[in-house]
Amino acid sequence: MSTDHAGKKRILLFTGKGGVGKTTCAAATALAAARRGYRTLIMSSDPAHSLSDALDRPLGPEPVPVEENLHAQEVDLYYSMKKYWHNIRELLLTVFKWQGINQIAAEELAAIPGMSEGSALLWLEQFYNSDDYDVIIVDSAPTGETLTFLSLPQVTEWWLTKAFPFQNLIFQTVGFGVRATTGIPLDKGYKELKMLFKKLRVIHDVLSNPAISSVRLVVNPEKMVIEEGRRAFAYLQLYGYGVDAVIVNRIFPESLRKVPGWEKYLDAQTHYLQEIDDSFSAIPRFKVPHLQQEVFGLELLEDIARHLYGDSNPVEVLYAEKAFAIDKDGDRYVLTIHLPFLEEKDIRIHRFGDQLTIQVHNQRRIFSLPHFLQYYYLKEYTYTNDRLEIVFVEK
């Protein structure tokens, strides 16, 4: 591990629309980190695993060595459920059936929401609190599932207190009754369940700490991909997760203009690259050319890493400031966006559905708004100290 980062742990989470190449970028980053001396683990939490293909070697549900300083793991739902959830699920199933709930309903209730995502988080919590790795890189599921993954600790907390409203003392009393008829110590099972939720809360705090954890958003220069990337960026910011870079992957070379049929596509690509720069102007952006071949194996991943980071450190915190936030102020919401080097008189704001367009001279920046703000209208905005504040009130 490099001496300038000795003792510091980092978690990098790669996400993006399915098919944009996030696994390739994550694996390339892991390889670059390992070759800098960081003890690195890359784990795939995407059910449609392609990490083994990218690394061009078989992987398993536990970490396996790839090369010096680099381990890899494809999180397996059933293996993880057996490791983390099996006993608790059996305990919950027994309680529901003991209460008179029919078998089918009990099966449904005992399947804790988010088991798959929860298992991946518990692996992450285990590795973060061990002394085995300096850097943990998560090749996550596509954007929507990633948001579920990151919001799971809050969801499961609600599930435990609302959908399963046993307080500790009450559950212990019930536990003694069930233990008398089944022999299962449910009071201990409930304590184990609470301990797992405690671990989820701890790793949530780690993931929302920008000094430790960063999300890197992978996009392609295509319309639908950019729109989903903007939405993901907005929600990640609102949930308190730090996005420190946008990676623009698979950019075709301008030399293809000489090939008949490519000019129209390259014109569109130029337009979308400018749109990406406008939409994500506050944070670093990295561009990776299309290698015009399928990327698998360490040699090609090394090439991707070189395009991504050059000689710079791939695990550095590339951007720590929150680009924007939404706060409730009485009966209104205030959207604050960090936009340096502007003057209020030059700003024009337009809203189209859940998209907010900020025009400054010939530069345009597009932000996606949370869906709930469609029931609010834009009342006013002010610009002071590099901060644009936009006020929304109910229609």
Side-chain angles (χ1 to χ4, degrees):
M1 184 173 180
S2 59
T3 57
D4 56 329
H5 281 268
K8 294 184 180 179
K9 291 189 178 182
R10 284 283 278 146
I11 296 175
L12 300 177
L13 189 147
F14 285 73
T15 189
K17 186 176 173 62
V20 296
K22 58 182 178 53
T23 299
T24 300
C25 294
T29 303
L31 182 63
R35 290 183 175 178
R36 272 186 166 260
Y38 292 93
R39 297 171 300 162
T40 304
L41 168 70
I42 178 169
M43 54 183 288
S44 171
S45 64
D46 188 345
H49 293 305
S50 56
L51 181 58
S52 58
D53 296 325
L55 295 172
D56 196 26
R57 62 196 61 206
L59 301 176
E62 299 271 358
V64 299
V66 175
E67 66 167 39
E68 185 180 4
N69 292 323
L70 180 60
H71 284 73
Q73 172 192 24
E74 290 183 331
V75 176
D76 181 88
L77 170 61
Y78 297 103
Y79 181 90
S80 301
M81 283 177 61
K82 184 176 181 181
K83 183 180 180 77
Y84 288 115
W85 297 104
H86 178 73
N87 291 333
I88 290 174
R89 181 183 175 281
E90 289 299 316
L91 292 170
L92 294 175
L93 184 60
T94 302
V95 169
F96 290 133
K97 289 169 67 177
W98 182 76
Q99 289 184 302
I101 298 173
N102 70 56
Q103 177 70 29
I104 294 175
E107 288 279 359
E108 289 293 321
L109 288 170
I112 300 174
M115 275 187 173
S116 178
E117 293 87 354
S119 297
L121 281 169
L122 289 170
W123 280 109
L124 187 57
E125 188 271 345
Q126 173 187 324
F127 295 137
Y128 177 77
N129 287 305
S130 76
D131 192 38
D132 296 331
Y133 304 106
D134 308 311
V135 178
I136 304 169
I137 294 175
V138 183
D139 169 33
S140 69
T143 314
E145 289 86 343
T146 298
L147 294 174
T148 301
F149 174 82
L150 291 172
S151 62
L152 184 69
Q154 298 98 309
V155 174
T156 49
E157 183 75 13
W158 177 91
W159 189 91
L160 179 63
T161 57
K162 304 296 183 184
F164 192 58
F166 290 111
Q167 298 300 320
N168 196 22
L169 181 60
I170 297 174
F171 195 95
Q172 287 180 4
T173 303
V174 173
F176 289 129
V178 177
R179 178 161 38 181
T181 57
T182 66
I184 299 175
L186 293 180
D187 49 329
K188 293 183 179 179
Y190 182 62
K191 290 178 181 177
E192 184 180 347
L193 181 65
K194 289 185 70 175
M195 180 58 67
L196 289 182
F197 287 130
K198 182 179 179 181
K199 288 182 178 181
L200 290 178
R201 288 195 298 272
V202 168
I203 198 61
H204 170 262
D205 292 340
V206 170
L207 287 170
S208 56
N209 182 343
I212 300 172
S213 304
S214 301
V215 178
R216 293 187 180 169
L217 189 60
V218 183
V219 299
N220 300 143
E222 300 173 6
K223 181 179 177 61
M224 293 181 64
V225 175
I226 296 170
E227 289 180 355
E228 181 162 329
R230 282 197 293 250
R231 283 193 294 271
F233 180 68
Y235 280 101
L236 288 165
Q237 292 277 292
L238 295 180
Y239 289 169
Y241 298 106
V243 180
D244 80 339
V246 170
I247 296 172
V248 190
N249 193 31
R250 296 176 183 156
I251 301 173
F252 283 100
E254 281 292 314
S255 59
L256 286 174
R257 285 189 182 277
K258 300 176 183 178
V259 180
W262 274 92
E263 187 174 357
K264 186 176 180 180
Y265 181 88
L266 291 174
D267 285 343
Q269 177 176 271
T270 299
H271 168 76
Y272 291 132
L273 287 172
Q274 184 61 53
E275 194 168 318
I276 290 169
D277 285 342
D278 292 341
S279 298
F280 303 103
S281 59
I283 60 177
R285 298 170 303 286
F286 297 91
K287 297 179 180 179
V288 182
H290 198 299
L291 298 186
Q292 301 179 55
Q293 62 178 311
E294 190 176 5
V295 178
F296 61 89
L298 301 187
E299 184 177 346
L300 288 175
L301 290 176
E302 185 179 15
D303 195 15
I304 294 288
R306 189 163 48 250
H307 284 293
L308 267 174
Y309 305 107
D311 295 327
S312 62
N313 189 336
V315 307
E316 288 279 8
V317 179
L318 302 172
Y319 185 84
E321 188 169 356
K322 200 168 185 178
F324 69 89
I326 292 182
D327 298 297
K328 198 170 191 310
D329 180 16
D331 59 353
R332 64 182 194 164
Y333 283 92
V334 180
L335 170 62
T336 304
I337 304 176
H338 179 229
L339 291 173
F341 316 122
L342 303 181
E343 293 185 28
E344 184 171 0
K345 65 183 179 63
D346 298 324
I347 298 173
R348 298 289 182 271
I349 296 179
H350 307 280
R351 178 180 178 176
F352 303 97
D354 63 352
Q355 285 195 346
L356 192 72
T357 302
I358 301 170
Q359 189 84 28
V360 183
H361 300 306
N362 63 341
Q363 294 188 5
R364 184 179 63 172
R365 304 179 186 185
I366 301 174
F367 295 87
S368 291
L369 299 172
H371 291 309
F372 76 87
L373 281 182
Q374 66 184 306
Y375 301 106
Y376 292 74
Y377 73 90
L378 193 160
K379 181 182 179 182
E380 60 188 3
Y381 63 88
T382 58
Y383 180 76
T384 54
N385 298 323
D386 292 343
R387 300 278 172 179
L388 177 64
E389 290 192 351
I390 306 170
V391 177
F392 294 87
V393 297
E394 281 193 274
K395 293 181 179 178

